[in-house]
Amino acid sequence: MEEDNNTGSELAESIAASSTAASPPGFQIQTEKTLPYPARPGLAAWSPQHDLLCFVTTNDNVLLYRMNGQRVWGLAQRKDKEGRVETLRWRPDGKMLALGYADGVTRICDVNNGKIVLLVSPDVAAGFGKVSCVGWADNRSVSKARREREGHHGGIPPVLEGIPKGVLDLEINQMLPRLSVLPAGTAPDSLFSSKTTLDAMINTVKGGDGEILDVLLVGDVNGKVLVNIFESFIVGTLQLSTLCPQLGTQCKLIQHTAPPSLSTHALLVTSPNNLYLTTLDLLFTSQFGQYLHQLAFTSTKLQALLKYIKETVAAMNVEWKTMNDLSMRYVSLVEEDLQAAGSSSSGGGVGLEFFELLVTGVGSAALKEWLVDVLTERGQKRWEKTSIGGYESLRRLAHEHLLPTCERVTILLTRLRGLARWKERGSPLGLEPEDFTRCIDTVSGLTIYAHSFITKLNHELDLFRCFSAWLKNVLDELSSVININDAPPEDPQIDTLKVAEYVGEHLLSSSLAPFFTRTQRLPGKKLFEDGEGVFEYFCKNETYAKGGSCTWGDLMEHLVGLCHGVFEKPATAMRRSLRVARPVNIYGNGVMDHVQIRMDDTDNGPVAYLALYSKKDAPDALVLVKCQYAMEGGLSSIVNIDCIKLSISSIYDIDTSSEEGEMDIGDKKPKNITLLDVHFVDNEALILLVQNEDDQTTNLLTTPFSTLTFSNPSSKYPLPNRRESFSSAKDLAGAVSVYTFSLGDQIPFTPMEIIKARTFEWVNGFLPERLVVNGMPERRIGAAIDRDGGRYVVFLLDEDEAVEEEGEEEEEEEEEEDDDGDDDDDENESEENRQGGEMGDGANDDDNGGGGVGNDTIDAESDMDMTS
């Protein structure tokens, strides 16, 4: 850690020395950090709502850091065949992080602890290849603006006047007791052993979010796109070449963006030699309206509750196995000893031996020898502690975890059934009330099954306590030495009938075994036939008697299968409303060095901006493309494409003698320049990283693009009309690309205007090559990553670099005045110095205290184990 701190100090000095005095307002460097392993190119991202920066390192670990460089958590690559992390994307609210892997699985992590809370698995999307893109967008800003606007104008529609708003926002789940955290270590990879994760996924129900919709898109290298809403409601998988044959069969999605309204989604798609821009329209967002939120949000909560039940059942299985294995081991040991002594020839002989000892008080010599030499008092205490602890844990899991969850599931299913019964709303969603009735019936059956389990458990626990007390008394009698002068021992008051019942019915086979032990079902035999009531069956039968077993796992599989079938119907209806628009050929000369896309809403419809750079075609040209879309009936169509060609070398043409605010950052226009990275900061500015090989510097700067003039007639890309539109992938690939058109002489170079700039000199050792930017309001921050990926600096986009020259001159003048003073002034100065020294000591103490906190933080960081 000391080595890292020294490296960070040297890095800070080199960065400070590299900033030239003649530069425009510079970026304020906030933090410097050295990573334990280099970051992989393109796998770093800021949280949209928090000062958190995520990296994927070369050893495929995922590391999350705060802005000050302190590590929050780390996610190590698993030992299984999950492959490398190929892409990452934050959820717009900053609470979840999606990681796309080479095995086709997208894992969604909780930002609080790094635990994986959801798997978008190839089992769901069959045939999904290596993930090439993950996109996540929501309409949070639009929904917030609408609520503020409605609140300003009265909020409640006129039809609902007179109804208290609290009734409209009523959330029943908020009135139920919060679910408890599952015991740690009882279930492998448990999500709900963390209170933070449990509250985020289940317990916390925020009001006022009824209009918020988020869309998760996952693309693979085979041209497939998986569409999710509310991160866990899977709409389905679509093949881009099927919906749009012009893209070709070898296309793949590489970038995704959407405007805040989610009216359409812009997709950048590549083929072997071309780059295309198209849009994906989700018609169901307008067709289903606000009821889509009820369906998707409720199904997301339902899936989380089903996971909670599944983990509860897994925890119960662990407790049962621990308790039952120990009991069966003692039974098998006594059986072996009895068989060796010739006292028992069958499994039932163990029970007979205990019966004989219970009734007559005189057992066989082999049993007594086993009790004294093998079981011993220590073994009896262990047996008692493990079994009673297991019984109580099973009861607690069933009563405090399973049953409350079933109540919540019933409420959610009832709400959806009410929506389905309202035909006017339920029909477009594809919901059927009978499907939800079957799910509710299964949950009710699971509830009565749990009550039956608790009843049997309480009875068996009561019997075991009596058996354990009797066994302890027998051991005491066998181990004690009788003395005729001693007083007779006290009667232990053992209930012999309960001991006999336990020995006869529960010692060799527990009454709880059918709840956990799965047996083979007859071929083709279902757990319950279609239309058969699960609740009614368990009301009439205490146990399952239809051939095979009915364990907790069997009931869970039955319930999950019913719920999957219920939500498959609306998902099918949503898939039918997906449309891919006519694509545009953006680039046709292989792989482009840098391409970025941003989409915003305007009064005339959505607008997509593209930043394009290809060093082999035009090393001095940064091409900006503005694509205007029109929406009609929920379908998007491109109506206008304008291009601007920015001169990168123009940033070196600014004269120091020009107007105020224009400062020179170079003496002459260089010939060897390269654009290392470019990003959209927000809807107004771009940030660039430019390498100048002539003077061996790298320049970080921001430039506006919203104020540029895109409406020149000569800069309009000629769009083909519908009759001239390309009908095949070959025709589209052969068309003149937007980038080629923009390089033509009809579009002159436009000089860049610099907002902020900072220069990094190569001699100082820090060579930034990649940028990560967050331009969200109140979170405008960036990071520059070194060429080797091992170091990075954090800078603020809106704060200017601190200037200390004037302050230093004032301090020198004050020192000169102090030197010319008289003796009185010297005494006053001495007094002031003493006071200043005391204040300085206090400041140093504060600094030392702060340093202590920092050291504790670093120690905590170094001792922090990464989440597996």
Side-chain angles (χ1 to χ4, degrees), residues 435-505:
D435 295 337
F436 292 104
T437 300
R438 284 193 290 270
C439 293
I440 294 173
D441 175 73
T442 303
V443 177
S444 301
L446 181 62
T447 302
I448 196 172
Y449 195 64
H451 281 291
S452 175
F453 172 78
I454 294 175
T455 301
K456 292 179 179 295
L457 185 148
N458 287 333
H459 181 63
E460 185 169 320
L461 174 59
D462 182 43
L463 298 181
F464 178 80
R465 290 182 188 275
C466 295
F467 170 76
S468 182
W470 168 74
L471 200 60
K472 180 178 182 302
N473 182 64
V474 170
L475 281 171
D476 291 342
E477 291 180 354
L478 293 176
S479 350
S480 60
V481 178
I482 301 176
N483 192 334
I484 58 175
N485 296 325
D486 292 341
E490 296 182 0
D491 188 0
Q493 300 295 327
I494 295 174
D495 193 331
T496 308
L497 293 179
K498 290 185 177 181
V499 177
E501 183 181 354
Y502 181 84
V503 171
E505 299 182 6

Side-chain angles (χ1 to χ4, degrees), residues 233-272:
F233 186 91
I234 298 180
V235 175
T237 306
L238 59 95
Q239 184 75 40
L240 290 175
S241 59
T242 301
L243 294 179
C244 184
Q246 295 93 329
L247 293 174
T249 57
Q250 297 181 340
C251 65
K252 68 176 180 179
L253 178 66
I254 61 168
Q255 284 193 42
H256 159 269
T257 187
S261 63
L262 297 183
S263 55
T264 187
H265 297 253
L267 308 179
L268 279 177
V269 182
T270 62
S271 68

Side-chain angles (χ1 to χ4, degrees), residues 738-763:
V738 175
Y739 183 80
T740 302
F741 169 80
S742 65
L743 295 182
D745 296 335
Q746 77 279 3
I747 302 179
F749 274 101
T750 301
M752 285 190 186
E753 176 187 350
I754 299 179
I755 304 175
K756 288 181 182 292
R758 189 180 188 101
T759 301
F760 299 90
E761 297 180 359
W762 294 6
V763 294

Side-chain angles (χ1 to χ4, degrees), residues 137-152 155 165 206-214 230 259-263 289-290 293 601:
D138 69 4
N139 62 346
R140 188 174 304 272
S141 59
V142 175
S143 177
K144 180 180 179 181
R146 183 184 295 114
R147 289 199 301 270
E148 292 176 352
R149 184 170 60 253
E150 292 176 351
H152 178 72
K165 191 175 186 302
K206 293 185 178 180
D209 289 348
E211 297 178 349
I212 295 178
L213 172 69
D214 68 76
F230 289 95
S261 63
L262 297 183
S263 55
Q290 60 178 329
H293 172 270
D601 287 311

Side-chain angles (χ1 to χ4, degrees), residues 591-606:
V591 179
M592 178 161 279
D593 294 325
H594 299 288
V595 54
Q596 293 293 327
I597 186 171
R598 178 183 178 85
M599 206 171 196
D600 294 301
D601 287 311
T602 65
D603 295 337
N604 298 324

Side-chain angles (χ1 to χ4, degrees), residues 718-740:
L719 283 171
N721 56 39
R722 294 190 177 275
R723 292 184 179 181
E724 299 173 346
S725 60
F726 308 108
S727 58
S728 66
K730 183 177 180 181
D731 294 338
L732 179 62
V736 177
S737 66
V738 175
Y739 183 80
T740 302

